[in-house]
Every structure is written in structure tokens, then in C-alpha cells.
Amino acid sequence: MTTEYRRLRVALLGAGSVGSQVAALLLQHEAELADRAGAHLELVGVAVRDIDAPRDTDIPRELLTTDAEPLLVGSDIVIELMGGIEPARSYLLQALSAGADVVTGNKALLATHGPALFEAADQVGASVHYEAAAAGAIPIIRPLRDSLAGDRVQRILAIVNGTTNYILDRMDLEGADYADVLADAQRLGYAEADPTADVEGYDAAQKAAILASLAFHTAVPLDAVHREGITSVDAPLIEAARKAGYVVKLLAVCERRTDDGREAISVRVHPALVRRDHPLASVHGANNAVFVQAEAAGDLMFYGAGAGGVQTASAVLGDLVSAARRHIAGGIGVGESTRANLPILPIGRATTRYQITLEVDDRPGVLATVAGILADGRVSIATVEQTIIPGDEQARARLVIGTHTALEQDLGETVQRLASSGVVYRVVSVLRMEGD
Ligand code: NDP
Ligand code: HSE
């Protein structure tokens, strides 16, 4: 006997890599999804820019339209997979004000206009679902928002950009050059033709803002996220890290800390040294992983595909089922709780360990001078390794200094003093060490 379900009208905005897979799975698993959602999810229309553009999956032509507006007012659930800020923002606000629940994978939109969307949803008792917006197929939004709602997240260390992980991983495993691997990443479709958003850390910063907002119950605007990309990471740096037992990863770091006696958070994206026995070190290729440290739960690791049309469609369909259940049940929509409203520290107030690599003159007193500058700058040395640079006519040595936890501001000033000290020939690199 088939169950008669209430019918919910579902509109899809966008049928590209992700949207076309969502449409196909929704049509293919219609009956199963109805049983799970407790409602018949009827795809009423799919808005695209060009009806005749080739698609990854077969979508009935009669569902395609270039006119999104009529879909926004007559639907119970609107799924936005167009990307970009406009018209996605206006369409979602319009859908919410008409009482629809919305599902989106648009990290750029959420990281810049999330609070306005959540506010609009609150006003009408609707909900905004966005599991696909950070780390693609990996369930991380709901664990942070729901499963860990009773705990206190202390820190998130996350690999949330597949393109940069692919590049760094191949540089580590094969000793390959940055430019060669980037070209491969573009050929394989991981990186865009213009890979700036990936390699300069913009994509990871958007995801860090989303994760930190949820983890710390604080609205984290994108411009409060410190961002550095991987363009200055070269083969010698990767090789030196490998020899020292580390791997270089582009990390999103979101952490709670006490600053001047008050609770605050730090949110940043940058390349970092990760010990080879840390779970994040074994995240290879274009995969993503989110390592969460919570006060009661301890360490948790979420791992999997951070991108890909069909993989990401899984997260979108999970959201669709949740949205349908909520739409039927009514009540308060799922949004964000930002009541903690913790201050967000500038990068200068971040604390971590550092590895400083210097080329110095190899003569008496140099090590003592370097140690003195570090001590004056409140940077405590944990390890020092000196090697003679073979065949160097100037008799120079390479110093690799590992520090204890230091304040970023102190570290920056200290490195400047080292650079102008007269005993340091070259500051080779300064890298943050995370996850120790
Ligand atoms: P695509 O560029 O592949 O697809 C975008 C779709 O939106 C296309 O079908 C396009 O139409 C349609 N579209 C764009 N602008 C308009 C408009 N003004 N009116 C109507 N339709 C429009 O994007 P993706 O599928 O890759 O990504 C979709 C969203 O999901 C983005 O926010 C992205 O950040 C996010 N996301 C993507 C992941 C991935 O692996 N691709 C992973 C996680 C999140 P047409 O086809 O006619 O050009
Ligand atoms: N460009 C992104 C990445 C796609 O490389 O991870 C998923 O957001």
C-alpha cells in the first residue's frame, strides 16, 4: 500500500555541477525521499541561464526555465545552487519572505550575507539549510549546530579547500613544483581557470567564517578572517618540512582563547606545519577534513569529499529532507545561534607555535645574538637545529628554530628585529605550527 503524503513544491535555482545532480537524484529517488521526508517532494521548476546549455544529467526540458521569479513565490522549499552573490541573495530573501524554507550551498553568499538571510528567515519562522556550504559532502554543519550544541568547541583545524590540498599533497609526495601541480589541478577540473579563490585562501576563508560562526555562536564576518594563501609555498620549503617530520597544509583555524582575561575567538586561514602523525596529515588529494576539539567530546574528525557534483548533492538532499520535515512540523526554523557574540581577535592577538628558518653567518656569538633577540621579544625557544650550508663560500649556516606558543604580534616584531640584526643573512621562512 502506498502512503498518501502531503505535496511540497520544490524549486531548484541552478543546474550546474551540483544542481544537475540534485535534480537527477530527486527525480530518481522520489518515493524513497517521500518516505523519509514524510512529504512528496515535487520538483516544480529548475531555473538556469541557458535552457539549451549541455547538462551533466537529463532534466525534463519542461522543468527548465530562465525565469526564476515565479518559482520563488509558489514554492514550499527553494534550493539555490547558482553561486555568486546576486541574484542569489535577492532570490533567497524573496523566497524566505514568501514563507519558503531554503537550502543553499553558496558559501560566498553565506559568508557575506548570512546574518541578513537568517534574520529574514526568523521573521517568518522559516529556515536556512546549508550543509553543502562548507566541506561539500562532509556532514559538519549539522554536527556543529545540533550534535555539539550542548558542548563547548575549543578549536577547529580544517582542510576545507580540495584544490590546495591536492597541490600541497602532490608537492609533498612527489617533490613536484607548485606551478606544475597547479596546471594539473586545472586540467583535472579541481581548480578553476582562474584559481585565485582557491590558492589565495578566499574559498577557505568563507568556509572558516561559516564554521566559526556555528562553533562559537558568534556572527563571524568574512573580513574578520585572517587569510594567507599557498602561492609562496615552494618545493624547498615542503622538503624541509618533510625532513623535519611535518607536512604543509592550508588550514582553517578557528579557536576559542582567553585574551587579556576575556574570552575571545581567532579565525584564520594560512599554510601551517602539521606533524606527520596528526590525523590531518593523512588527508590526501582533493579530500577535506575537519578536526574538532570540544571540551566534553574531545577530538572528533570529519573526513571525505569536499567538492564534486554528486557528492555535494548528497548534502543538499539531506538538507532538503530536513527542510521538508520542518516545513510540515512548523515551529521555529533552524538558523544560527549567535548569542555568545564573542569578540574576534585581530591576527596580532593569535597565539601558536612557530618554526623560523634563518640563514646566518657562521661565526662566534651569532647564536647568542639570535637567542637574545628572541628572548627580548618574549618568544621562547623550544628547539634549535643548525646545519652548515655545504659549499657556501660565505661560511653561512641554516638555523631552524621551533618556538613555544607565542603571540603573533611579538613573533612578527621579533622576526623583523632578527632580519635587521646584522647576523641574519636571510629569513628563509616563518611558518605557524598547528595541532601539536
Ligand atoms: P555551476 O557554475 O556549475 O552551476 C551554476 C548553475 O546556476 C548553472 O546551471 C547556471 O545556469 C545557473 N545560474 C547561474 N546564474 C544564474 C541566474 N542568474 N539565473 C538562473 N540560473 C543561473 O556551479 P556549481 O554547481 O559548481 O556550484 C553551485 C553552488 O554550490 C555554488 O554556490 C558553489 O559554491 C556551491 N558548491 C559547489 C561545489 C562543487 O563541487 N561544485 C561544492 C560545494 C559547494 P546555466 O547552466 O544555464 O549556465
Ligand atoms: N574550489 C573548491 C575546492 C570547491 O577546491 O575545495 C568546493 O568548495
Side-chain angles (χ1 to χ4, degrees):
M1 197 183 88
T2 52
T3 314
E4 280 296 319
Y5 290 117
R6 177 179 159 188
R7 178 172 158 263
L8 293 183
R9 294 166 59 86
V10 178
L12 177 60
L13 312 180
S17 305
V18 184
S20 62
Q21 300 293 343
V22 168
L25 292 172
L26 182 50
L27 295 171
Q28 190 183 338
H29 302 305
E30 204 176 348
E32 219 175 313
L33 288 168
D35 286 338
R36 292 182 199 165
H40 177 64
L41 303 170
E42 186 192 358
L43 185 59
V44 293
V46 182
V48 291
R49 270 180 307 213
D50 175 4
I51 287 182
D52 296 316
R55 311 260 156 228
D56 294 346
T57 64
D58 290 331
I59 300 174
R61 196 180 164 83
E62 64 274 17
L63 288 179
L64 295 172
T65 175
T66 53
D67 187 5
E69 304 262 345
L71 295 176
L72 304 174
V73 281
S75 299
D76 299 297
I77 300 171
V78 173
I79 306 174
E80 183 273 311
L81 291 167
M82 300 187 306
I85 306 299
E86 288 294 353
R89 185 192 71 97
S90 304
Y91 285 172
L92 288 186
L93 287 173
Q94 210 177 320
L96 286 166
S97 68
D101 287 291
V102 305
V103 175
T104 177
N106 193 333
K107 61 227 159 194
L109 178 62
L110 287 164
T112 46
H113 296 282
L117 291 174
F118 299 129
E119 170 72 22
D122 278 352
Q123 276 174 9
V124 292
S127 60
V128 181
H129 303 253
Y130 51 100
E131 188 61 73
I138 304 174
I140 186 61
I141 299 297
R142 240 166 279 154
L144 285 174
R145 192 187 55 213
D146 300 331
S147 321
L148 290 165
D151 207 333
R152 280 169 62 81
V153 174
Q154 296 299 339
R155 181 178 293 107
I156 296 175
L157 297 178
I159 294 168
V160 283
N161 183 267
T163 303
T164 47
N165 200 59
Y166 171 83
I167 293 171
L168 294 173
D169 190 42
R170 280 202 48 203
M171 287 174 78
D172 179 58
L173 295 176
E174 300 167 22
D177 272 330
Y178 172 82
D180 294 344
V181 194
L182 173 60
D184 281 353
Q186 286 172 299
R187 202 170 51 246
L188 289 165
Y190 295 142
E192 301 295 322
D194 172 8
T196 312
D198 295 308
V199 298
E200 294 291 1
Y202 291 100
D203 174 77
Q206 290 165 355
K207 293 164 181 169
I210 292 169
L211 296 178
S213 297
L214 282 169
F216 304 122
H217 307 278
T218 293
V220 176
L222 186 55
D223 59 13
V225 180
H226 174 80
R227 177 196 53 76
E228 293 168 32
I230 63 162
T231 48
S232 61
V233 177
D234 56 12
L237 191 145
I238 297 261
E239 173 65 6
R242 203 175 59 73
K243 280 189 179 148
Y246 289 89
V247 59
V248 179
K249 295 287 188 192
L250 182 72
L251 290 189
V253 182
C254 316
E255 62 188 357
R256 187 192 292 272
R257 76 174 208 87
T258 305
D259 181 77
D260 261 348
R262 61 176 188 162
E263 190 169 47
I265 59 171
S266 169
V267 189
R268 52 191 197 265
V269 167
H270 51 69
L273 292 174
V274 176
R275 252 190 8 245
R276 282 202 178 253
D277 59 358
H278 190 282
L280 288 173
S282 54
V283 177
H284 295 293
N287 282 310
N288 283 194
V290 185
F291 184 73
V292 181
Q293 296 179 293
E295 202 170 87
D299 294 352
L300 306 164
M301 172 95 158
F302 302 81
Y303 168 84
V310 72
Q311 295 90 337
T312 306
S314 160
V316 174
L317 286 168
D319 275 353
L320 174 61
V321 170
S322 290
R325 289 175 181 157
R326 201 216 70 82
H327 202 85
I328 292 167
I332 303 167
V334 290
E336 268 193 329
S337 102
T338 53
R339 298 234 169 84
N341 202 15
L342 294 172
I344 306 163
L345 297 171
I347 186 64
R349 303 300 303 170
T351 55
T352 189
R353 295 181 57 219
Y354 297 85
Q355 186 201 64
I356 307 166
T357 303
L358 308 171
E359 273 177 25
V360 297
D361 295 330
D362 187 16
R363 57 181 163 78
V366 167
L367 199 52
T369 304
V370 168
I373 292 170
L374 287 161
D376 289 348
R378 293 179 295 276
V379 178
S380 173
I381 299 172
T383 57
V384 185
E385 194 185 304
Q386 175 172 325
T387 46
I388 305 300
I389 300 174
D392 187 284
E393 287 171 9
Q394 311 293 319
R396 291 195 186 113
R398 179 167 286 222
L399 267 187
V400 181
I401 301 166
T403 77
H404 286 296
T405 300
L407 193 62
E408 176 94 12
Q409 194 176 297
D410 289 343
L411 193 283
E413 287 167 11
T414 302
V415 170
Q416 276 183 13
R417 261 180 257 131
L418 285 169
S420 57
S421 65
V423 299
V424 172
Y425 172 69
R426 183 163 81 96
V427 178
V428 178
S429 63
V430 180
L431 280 171
R432 300 175 186 89
M433 305 166 87
E434 304 287 351
D436 280 358

